[in-house]
Amino acid sequence: MEQRSCAGYIITQSIKVKDTEFVLGEHPKTGMCVTWQCKNGDNYFWGHYCENYYAALKDLCERSAQEVDYLASIGAIPPLSSRKPRDRGNER
């Protein structure tokens, strides 16, 4: 897979929720991080800038979870309460 970047930030993580992708970018020189919403793999917008990787990782997860909640609220995906739990095998 080709490495993606935007504004000097290297995209290191991504979470896709239906048609929406959220990404985390790390700046190799400053250590700053950002999360963006992304369309079509190269259109980055609504950046949330963070001082460190773990704050950005938390923001990435929160933004993704908010999108899941929104899609469930408009009926685009079934509500979580109606889903069967998946067998995940050996969890911690």
Side-chain angles (χ1 to χ4, degrees):
M1 183 174 162
E2 186 178 316
Q3 184 178 40
R4 294 190 288 170
S5 66
C6 178
Y9 290 82
I10 307 299
I11 306 304
T12 60
Q13 303 283 333
S14 69
I15 299 175
K16 190 159 186 178
V17 180
K18 204 153 171 132
D19 296 329
T20 301
E21 181 182 23
F22 297 94
V23 300
L24 186 155
E26 298 179 65
H27 198 284
K29 292 181 181 174
T30 67
M32 294 285 293
C33 293
V34 61
T35 64
W36 282 296
Q37 190 169 339
C38 180
K39 294 283 185 189
N40 303 319
D42 63 359
N43 180 8
Y44 303 95
F45 54 97
W46 289 339
H48 294 182
Y49 292 84
C50 303
E51 299 262 340
N52 63 62
Y53 175 81
Y54 295 103
L57 184 60
K58 182 178 178 185
D59 186 66
L60 177 71
C61 294
E62 288 171 349
R63 291 180 81 170
S64 302
Q66 289 171 354
E67 184 70 9
V68 169
D69 290 344
Y70 168 72
L71 292 173
S73 76
I74 63 168
I77 60 173
L80 294 176
S81 60
S82 70
R83 295 183 182 181
K84 290 183 182 178
R86 293 188 321 182
D87 179 17
R88 295 180 182 228
N90 249 349
E91 286 192 19
R92 344 183 239 164

